[in-house]
């Protein structure tokens, strides 16, 4: 168990709610891989318990959980370098979530914009799980005493709440036990936008499949989606300032920049003054060169589901070496009696 000063430890998670988008890849997984190679201890989680806050068909959830694990590995996450887990395999996540439900305030949860977006007009009919979801997310992170959490921009508010929960727990129990986590929201792809509307986030739940690129799309589909992507009629500017008020142009350039690991300035130096009819084929070629190998490897890995289950079981065993002592200590701090031996 780590105590202050906390050693750097990275944690992040993705919901297996069906289909991985280019937004998930660039905003999260690609960055997970970079952090894995940078000397941090890294833990990455498939958050199946989060997924059921909205209805999931059980067979599809099983499939999507394995497919997400395949997506992690195909993108470069290595089960020997990172701990890869499925959330429901590590019961301490939900145990700590209950304690945090008793720390977090109803008013804090009511401010969460993601709850408002997902529950929509009919919030009374949303599941209780959807409402208290951010306390489980805080528990996911803090049950590892994780210090750094790479995410896309849409998760920022949840991470602020995670900090508030840690601060209140430490304050209420007068102990410096949980770290105050740093969100890591960096790079040009922290908010990849819809290909149909540059003001909306690219999302797996958008009714239009043309709005997103899925990691399982074949080369032809990727090219078609980029060809049909909404743009304006001007040429690309030579400098970032020229993309102000041009959300679709900005989005495609950001995607190119993130896929090619080049700054936006370099992309615009190469493409400034050229039309989208030139830029789109170049972007398609680049996207296919990155996504196709991942998609092929995902299909390969999915042909051996027993191996995926073994990898996740191994991850859970490693994870519990960290989570069990932290949970035990949390109960001790809160005054719960330990079982007699
Ligand atoms: P989820 O499953 O919606 O998304 C997973 C990750 O992908 C990022 N992301 C994007 N990034 C850039 N552009 C986009 N269009 C885009 N769409 C999604 C998200 O920001 C996220 O990083 N609540 C989380 C899962 C979670 C979690 C955690 C994350 C549960 N526990 C603990 C971090 C730590 C979620 O629903 O992500």
């Amino acid at each position: 168990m780590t105590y202050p000063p906390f050693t750097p430890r990275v944690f992040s998670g993705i919901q297996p709610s069906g289909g991985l988008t280019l937004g998930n890849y660039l905003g999260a997984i690609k960055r997970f891989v970079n952090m894995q190679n940078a000397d941090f201890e890294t833990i990455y989680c498939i958050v199946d318990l989060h997924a059921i806050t909205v209805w999931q068909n059980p067979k599809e959830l099983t499939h999507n959980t394995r497919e997400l694990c395949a997506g992690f590995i195909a993108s470069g996450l290595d089960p020997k370098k990172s701990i890869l887990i499925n959330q429901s395999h590590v019961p301490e996540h939900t145990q700590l979530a209950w304690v945090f439900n008793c720390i977090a305030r109803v008013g804090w949860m009511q401010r969460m914009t993601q709850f408002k977006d997902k529950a929509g007009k009919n919030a009374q009919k949303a599941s209780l799980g959807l409402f208290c979801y951010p306390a489980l997310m805080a528990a996911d992170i803090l049950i590892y005493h994780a210090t750094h959490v790479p995410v896309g921009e849409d998760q920022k508010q949840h991470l602020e709440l995670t900090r508030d929960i840690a601060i209140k727990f430490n304050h209420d129990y007068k102990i410096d036990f949980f770290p105050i986590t740093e969100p890591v929201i960096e790079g040009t792809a922290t908010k990849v936008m819809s290909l149909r509307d540059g003001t909306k986030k690219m999302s797996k739940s958008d009714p239009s499949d043309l709005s997103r690129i899925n990691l399982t799309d074949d080369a032809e589909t990727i090219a078609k989606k980029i060809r049909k992507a909404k743009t304006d009629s001007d040429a690309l500017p030579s400098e970032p300032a020229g993309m102000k008020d041009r959300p679709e142009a900005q989005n495609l350039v950001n995607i190119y920049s993130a896929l090619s690991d080049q700054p936006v300035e370099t992309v615009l130096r190469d493409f400034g003054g050229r039309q989208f009819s030139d830029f789109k084929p170049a972007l398609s070629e680049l996207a296919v060169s990155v996504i196709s190998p991942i998609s092929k490897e995902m299909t390969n890995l999915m042909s051996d589901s027993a191996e995926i289950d073994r990898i996740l079981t191994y991850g859970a065993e490693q994870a519990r070496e960290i989570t069990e002592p932290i949970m035990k200590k949390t109960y001790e701090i809160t005054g719960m009696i330990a079982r007699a031996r």
Side-chain angles (χ1 to χ4, degrees), residues 12-13 15 23-24 133 137 140 151-152 154-155 189-190 192 201-202:
S12 198
Q15 293 196 48
N24 295 133
Y133 169 121
M137 180 159 160
D140 295 336
V151 282
D154 58 344
Q155 297 302 316
T190 55
V192 177
K201 188 184 80 166
M202 181 182 286

Side-chain angles (χ1 to χ4, degrees), residues 262-328:
Q262 288 177 309
V264 166
E265 287 76 6
T266 311
V267 179
L268 292 180
R269 206 186 51 217
D270 293 346
F271 288 97
R274 288 165 68 182
Q275 298 294 332
F276 282 104
S277 50
D278 273 353
F279 180 65
K280 281 181 167 180
L283 178 59
S284 289
E285 198 181 318
L286 173 63
V288 168
S289 74
V290 174
I291 295 170
S292 287
I294 297 177
S295 154
K296 282 197 192 106
E297 183 58 13
M298 277 171 79
T299 311
N300 259 346
L301 292 164
M302 282 300 279
S303 66
D304 189 356
S305 64
E307 177 60 11
I308 292 184
D309 294 359
R310 271 194 295 276
I311 289 170
L312 290 174
T313 304
Y314 171 64
E317 281 159 11
Q318 292 174 291
R320 294 200 73 192
E321 283 177 24
I322 304 173
T323 58
E324 272 180 324
I326 291 180
M327 196 61 230
K328 192 163 163 254

Side-chain angles (χ1 to χ4, degrees), residues 11-17 21-29 31-32 47 50 87 114 118 133 136-138 140-141 149-155 158-159 189-193 201-204:
F11 179 93
S12 198
I14 298 189
Q15 293 196 48
S17 44
T21 69
L22 185 64
N24 295 133
Y25 176 70
L26 294 176
I29 303 179
R31 298 171 51 229
F32 297 174
V47 291
H50 278 276
Q87 191 182 28
Q114 193 153 17
K118 285 200 175 174
Y133 169 121
L136 176 57
M137 180 159 160
D140 295 336
I141 297 165
V149 184
V151 282
E153 209 160 301
D154 58 344
Q155 297 302 316
H158 290 158
L159 293 186
T190 55
K191 197 166 187 192
V192 177
M193 307 309 266
K201 188 184 80 166
M202 181 182 286
S203 156
K204 45 192 149 190

